[in-house]
Amino acid sequence: MSIVKTSYNRRSFLKASALSTGGMLLSFSWLTGFKSDDKLETANLPKEWFELNSYIKITDKGEITLFSPNPEFGQNVMTSLPMILAEELDVNWENVNVEQAPYNTQKFGGQFTGGSQSVRSYWKPLRTAGASARFMLVQAAADTWKVSTTEITTEKGIISHKLSGKTATYGEMASAAAKVTVPREVNLKEVKDFKIVGTPRKNVEGTKIVTGKPIFGMDYRKEGMLIAMIVHPPAFGMKLKSFDATEAKAMSGIKDVFKVQLYNDDYGKQMFDTTAFNEIVAIVGNTTWEVMQAKKALKTAWETTTDTTETQSFRGQKREVKIPGGLENTNIHSKKMAEFCAKSATVARKDGDPETAFKNAAQILERSYSAPFLAHNCMEPMNCFAHVTADKAEIAAPIQGPSLIENTIAARIGIPADKIDIHLTRMGGGFGRRAYGHYMVEAAVISQKVNAPIKLIYSREDDMTFGIYRPAYQATFRAALDAKKNLIAFHVRAGGIPETPLHANRFPAGAIDNYLAEEWAIPSNITVGAFRAPRSNFMAAAEQSFLDELAEAMGKDPIEFRLELLKRAKANPVGKNNDYDADRYAGVLELVREKSDWGKTKKVAGVGRGVSAYFCHNSYAAHVIDISVKKGIPTVQKVTSAIDCGIVINPLSAINMVEGAVTDGVGNSFFGAMTFKDGKPEKSNLDKYRMIRMGEAPKVIDVHFVKNDIAPTGMGEPPFPPVFGAIANAMYKATGKRFYNQPFITNDPEAEMKI
C-alpha cells in the first residue's frame, strides 16, 4: 500500500461533518493532486487553477452519493470519477449514486471540463478521499466495538470484525464516523487489489439519456419562458449597420426585436471571450416557430469592418491582438499560407547545425501539408436559459467552463457574480466549442432587456456560421539524407490562420542531431477556438504522413523506422526539453504492430495499410488502418488501436472514446472543411457541410490498452490526432497516391465518397 497525506499546503483537504438526518458528509479538494508544474498543454486551460471541492455523502441507510463538479459532455466522467472513489471507499458499486454538482465557485472551484484532464487530475484526490472515509468508518466501528482497527475489514460497504462476528453497514456507522478526526495520512490500495477500477461499468446516466429525461440544455424549461433567437452578420469582417424590424414586430407572437451589444466598449476580453460579432439583433417571442418566421422577415444592412486592435487576457497575461478588417477568402488564405511556408520564420527550437547538414545532404525530401478550417457541429446547438431581474440572475446552459464566463456575464449585466445562479446541464457535444460561453452573455442581456425569462436557441445555421472553428494550417517538412540514406537533419516550418500548430519539442525532436522547428501565423477576423486535441489534430497528420514517406525513401519499415528514432531518443536524447516518454511512445507502436499482425498479412491489390502514432494530452496513441478501394471508393475495413493512458479506469467508456475519436477522425480527414467567400462561410448546415455517414464508418475498430500501473492520463483527445496520418498512409498503399491536403476526398456534400 502507498501512504498519502490528506492535507496539502495551508488548506485542509478533508473535512467531515454529520448530517442532520443521520450519516456523514465528507468534503474534499478535487485538484490537490494536480501539480502546479504539470503542463496544461493543448487544453486552453486557465493558468490559475482553483481548488475544486465536492462531497461524499453517506446516509444512515448506506446510500453513497458523489456530487461530480465538472459538466458532462459525453466523456463519461460522471461514471469514471465515482469509480475511483468507490474503489478506495470499498463499497458496492450498485450503492453509489452520482449527481451533477451545482455551480458554486465557493464550494467547487472552476468546474472546467476540457483538455482530457478530468481523470488525470482527480485520480489522487478521489482515492485519498475514499480511503479517508473508509478509515473513519473503520475507526468508528473500532471505537464502538472496543477493538483494534487492525482487526477490522471492509468489503462492499460492510464493516466486519471476524473475531467477534460483529458486522455493520457503512450507513450504520456513518454518524459516528462523522465525529472521527480526519486522518493526517491514509493507505491507498495497490493496483493489483482493485475490484472496481479497471472493470467495465455502464454510463450512470445511460437510462436517463435513452429514455429522454430532461438533462440537456435544450430540455430546460421554466413557466412563462419566452423564446429568443439572434441574427449575426452573414460574413466575418462585417458588422451591423442598421435594421428594420417593422414587419417582424407585427408578426404573431413576437414580443420585441432589438440590437444586442455583447461586450461593452471598455470591457477587456478574457481568454474565452470570443472575438466574433459584437453587435447582433435579437428576436423574442412566444414560440420557436413564431420567432423563426420573424427572423426571416427582419431586414438588415451590414458594413465592412476596419482593422482593430484588442487587449485580451491570456493565461494571466495581457496581450494585444490585431484583427484585420475586410472580407477574407479561402483561395487567398491558401496562397498566403504557401508563401509563409516558403520563407524563414520564427525559430522555436534548433539543435545542432541543420543548415550545414542540409547543404551537405546527398538527398533532401521536402513535402507540404495543409488542412482547412473545421466547424464543431455539436449535435445540440448552442442554447441558454436566462432570467435576469433587478438584483440577480438565473442561468442554465450547456457549458464546459462556467467559471470562464461568469465574470463576463456579471460585467455585462451589472450584477455581481455571487448573485448569478448558473445551472449546469448535460452537453450534447463539446470538445472545445462550449468552452466559449458567448451565448450565455447574449441570453442574459436579452432577458434583462425584455424583463422576462427567455430561452435563447441557436439554429444549426447560426451555430455553424458563428465561428470558433479549428484554424486552417499548413506545414512544410524537410529531411536530409546522406549518401547511405541515413537521416542527418530534420526541419519543420508550420503555421496557420490565425495561430501556429507547432509543438517544437515533440517527437521527432530529441531523436535527431540536427533539428530545426520554425513557426508563423497570419492574423484573421475569422474566429477560432479549441477543437478536439487543438493543434495536435493537424501536426500529427502532417508529421506522421511525412515520416511514412521518409521511411520509404530510406528503405525502412514505417514502424521500425519510428522505433529506431525513439530508441535514439531514449538512449542518447538531443536537447533537454523533449516532452514525450520514448518508452511509452514505443510501447504503443509495438502493441499495435503485434495486434494488427503488421508485416504478416498478404498484400492485396486495392487494399492499403497505414500506421500512425502520436503523443498529446499526456497519453500515447497508435493506429493501424486497413483501407480497401473499389471503383475509386475507399472503405475503412479495420482500425487497430493501441493506447497508453496509464491505468484504465473504465474500459467500456475508454473503448467508446477511442471508437468515437477514430470515427470522428475518419470523417474529418475525408470530408471536413469550412471555406469562405468574401468572408461568408460557404456552408451553413449539414446539407452542405459533409459529415461521415453510418455506412462510411470503420467496419471494425479493435482497441487495445498498454497495461501498466502509471497514474491515468488523458483519454478523450489523444486517439484523435493519429487517425489522419494513418488514413493518409493507408490510402497511399491502396492507390499509389500520396495525400497532402485535407480533406483527402471531397468537401462536396453531394459527391460520392470517391477518390
Side-chain angles (χ1 to χ4, degrees), residues 99 114 158 163 171 225 230 301 344 420 507 579 618 674:
E99 295 181 17
I158 303 296
L163 294 178
M225 181 182 80
I230 60 105
S344 297
I420 299 175
F507 181 77
D579 64 0
N618 312 108
M674 177 58 81

Side-chain angles (χ1 to χ4, degrees), residues 640-680:
T640 305
S641 303
I643 313 295
D644 183 353
C645 59
I647 296 168
V648 179
I649 306 300
N650 185 354
L652 183 60
S653 48
I655 290 171
N656 289 342
M657 280 192 281
V658 176
E659 292 172 338
V662 167
T663 305
D664 194 9
V666 171
N668 278 298
S669 62
F670 279 158
F671 312 116
M674 177 58 81
T675 56
F676 304 88
K677 185 175 182 180
D678 295 329
K680 183 178 181 179

Side-chain angles (χ1 to χ4, degrees), residues 95-111:
N95 292 338
V96 176
N97 301 311
V98 184
E99 295 181 17
Q100 173 65 62
Y103 176 64
N104 187 318
T105 55
Q106 295 293 321
K107 293 182 178 180
F108 303 101
Q111 294 178 271

Side-chain angles (χ1 to χ4, degrees), residues 165-440:
K166 294 179 179 179
T167 63
T169 65
Y170 279 4
E172 291 170 334
M173 286 293 171
S175 294
K179 301 174 184 177
V180 173
T181 301
V182 175
R184 295 181 62 85
E185 55 187 34
V186 291
N187 294 321
L188 301 181
K189 287 185 178 181
E190 297 293 339
V191 174
K192 63 181 178 61
D193 297 325
F194 286 167
K195 298 176 182 178
I196 296 175
V197 168
T199 62
R201 305 288 171 164
K202 293 182 179 180
N203 188 330
V204 296
E205 289 206 305
T207 301
K208 294 179 183 178
I209 294 171
V210 300
T211 56
K213 298 299 181 183
I215 57 178
F216 292 91
M218 287 293 284
D219 298 323
Y220 201 88
R221 298 285 186 275
K222 277 292 184 78
E223 187 71 26
M225 181 182 80
L226 299 174
I227 298 297
M229 299 189 80
I230 60 105
V231 175
H232 64 68
F236 293 94
M238 281 189 170
K239 63 180 181 179
L240 181 65
K241 182 178 181 181
S242 63
F243 68 96
D244 182 354
T246 305
E247 182 180 349
K249 284 185 175 181
M251 297 177 73
S252 173
I254 300 305
K255 298 297 184 180
D256 203 355
V257 181
F258 51 90
K259 182 178 77 172
V260 172
Q261 183 173 336
L262 187 57
Y263 306 113
N264 292 326
D265 294 335
D266 59 351
Y267 176 71
K269 290 182 180 177
Q270 304 302 303
M271 183 175 172
F272 285 88
D273 291 336
T274 177
T275 57
F277 319 112
N278 193 44
E279 290 185 343
I280 56 178
V281 181
I283 305 99
V284 183
N286 291 325
T287 67
T288 304
W289 180 253
E290 289 171 324
V291 173
M292 289 176 69
Q293 301 315 303
K295 183 176 177 179
K296 295 176 183 177
L298 182 68
K299 296 178 175 63
T300 56
W302 314 94
E303 60 184 343
T304 306
T305 62
T306 57
D307 295 353
T308 58
T309 300
E310 289 185 346
T311 300
Q312 298 177 2
S313 292
F314 186 80
R315 297 185 178 178
Q317 302 294 321
K318 297 287 186 180
R319 65 176 185 177
E320 297 292 319
V321 178
K322 294 182 179 180
I323 303 173
L327 307 177
E328 301 183 21
N329 292 275
T330 294
N331 61 340
I332 301 300
H333 285 165
S334 298
K335 291 179 181 178
K336 284 186 176 181
M337 289 198 297
E339 291 171 0
F340 272 73
C341 253
K343 59 186 180 181
S344 297
T346 302
V347 175
R349 173 168 172 160
K350 182 178 179 180
D351 297 323
D353 187 358
E355 294 86 356
T356 300
F358 274 100
K359 183 179 179 180
N360 296 331
Q363 180 184 351
I364 294 176
L365 180 68
E366 179 175 331
R367 297 290 184 266
S368 291
Y369 304 84
S370 68
F373 288 91
L374 294 177
H376 280 85
N377 298 334
C378 299
M379 185 171 288
E380 177 193 26
M382 303 305 109
N383 64 88
C384 179
F385 168 85
H387 187 192
V388 179
T389 60
D391 56 358
K392 64 180 181 180
E394 179 187 4
I395 295 174
I399 181 72
Q400 289 180 233
S403 63
L404 306 178
I405 199 66
E406 180 184 45
N407 289 330
T408 302
I409 297 172
R412 181 60 184 84
I413 62 177
I415 293 177
D418 60 2
K419 298 297 183 181
I420 299 175
D421 185 15
I422 299 177
H423 303 287
L424 303 180
T425 68
R426 190 180 179 94
M427 293 172 272
F431 281 114
R433 175 61 181 93
R434 286 193 162 93
Y436 307 86
H438 57 90
Y439 48 95
M440 297 172 67

Side-chain angles (χ1 to χ4, degrees), residues 30-31 52 70 81 118-127:
W30 283 75
L31 284 188
L52 301 180
N70 282 22
L81 296 181
S118 295
V119 168
R120 176 176 180 251
S121 302
Y122 304 160
W123 172 245
K124 185 176 179 180
L126 279 174
R127 293 185 70 193

Side-chain angles (χ1 to χ4, degrees), residues 82-90 189 193-197:
M83 287 175 65
I84 300 171
L85 176 69
E87 181 65 69
E88 293 291 350
L89 190 55
D90 205 4
K189 287 185 178 181
D193 297 325
F194 286 167
K195 298 176 182 178
I196 296 175
V197 168

